[in-house]
Amino acid sequence: PSPNTPLSPQLLHLRTQKFFDLPLEDATLYIGKANDRQPPDLDLSGFPDADVVSRVHARLIVRSGEYYLEDLDSSNGTYVNETVLVPFHPHLLTLDDRICLGRNNLVSFSFSF
């Protein structure tokens, strides 16, 4: 891409190397597994070690070009760079943050754009 072309922000699932493209415009994306209460935008049901991911685990909030991750009181926690997030307190993501859903880095992503 040319220097003037914005790159698409994305989450890279580290174990499978699968990319999830993230929106550039304001949005809220739910991360979890298939359920009737809040169907996930990023469904991790078929991923390795998905048993540590809650059905409604976290949400990614895009506002004015900034990306926030919020744990939704998940059973096993959400971590950014090894720090556990306080449920319902959005955390501002920065380039190359490592996001882990649950303990022991079993379901890990890298945030990039």
Side-chain angles (χ1 to χ4, degrees):
S2 73
N4 296 332
T5 305
L7 295 175
S8 173
Q10 44 194 205
L11 290 178
L12 169 64
H13 183 252
L14 297 176
R15 195 141 150 217
T16 63
Q17 296 296 294
K18 177 175 171 39
F19 283 98
F20 290 96
D21 288 323
L22 302 175
L24 290 167
E25 68 283 349
D26 288 3
T28 299
L29 302 176
Y30 286 86
I31 303 168
K33 296 186 296 197
N35 70 86
D36 295 330
R37 198 176 74 196
Q38 178 60 61
D41 299 291
L42 277 65
D43 186 350
L44 303 179
S45 298
F47 281 73
D49 296 306
D51 54 315
V52 303
V53 177
S54 296
R55 293 187 193 289
V56 183
H57 195 104
R59 68 179 158 207
L60 189 76
I61 303 162
V62 184
R63 292 289 177 269
S64 304
E66 294 187 315
Y67 293 78
Y68 298 88
L69 185 65
E70 181 179 14
D71 181 80
L72 298 176
D73 203 21
S74 62
S75 300
N76 293 308
T78 302
Y79 299 78
V80 176
N81 301 325
E82 312 278 328
T83 301
V84 66
L85 299 185
V86 176
F88 307 112
H89 286 78
H91 175 87
L92 178 63
L93 295 175
T94 57
L95 183 64
D96 294 329
D97 273 350
R98 183 179 175 133
I99 297 164
C100 298
L101 305 179
R103 293 181 282 281
N104 302 323
N105 300 325
L106 294 175
V107 181
S108 298
F109 296 86
S110 178
F111 173 70
S112 63
F113 50 89

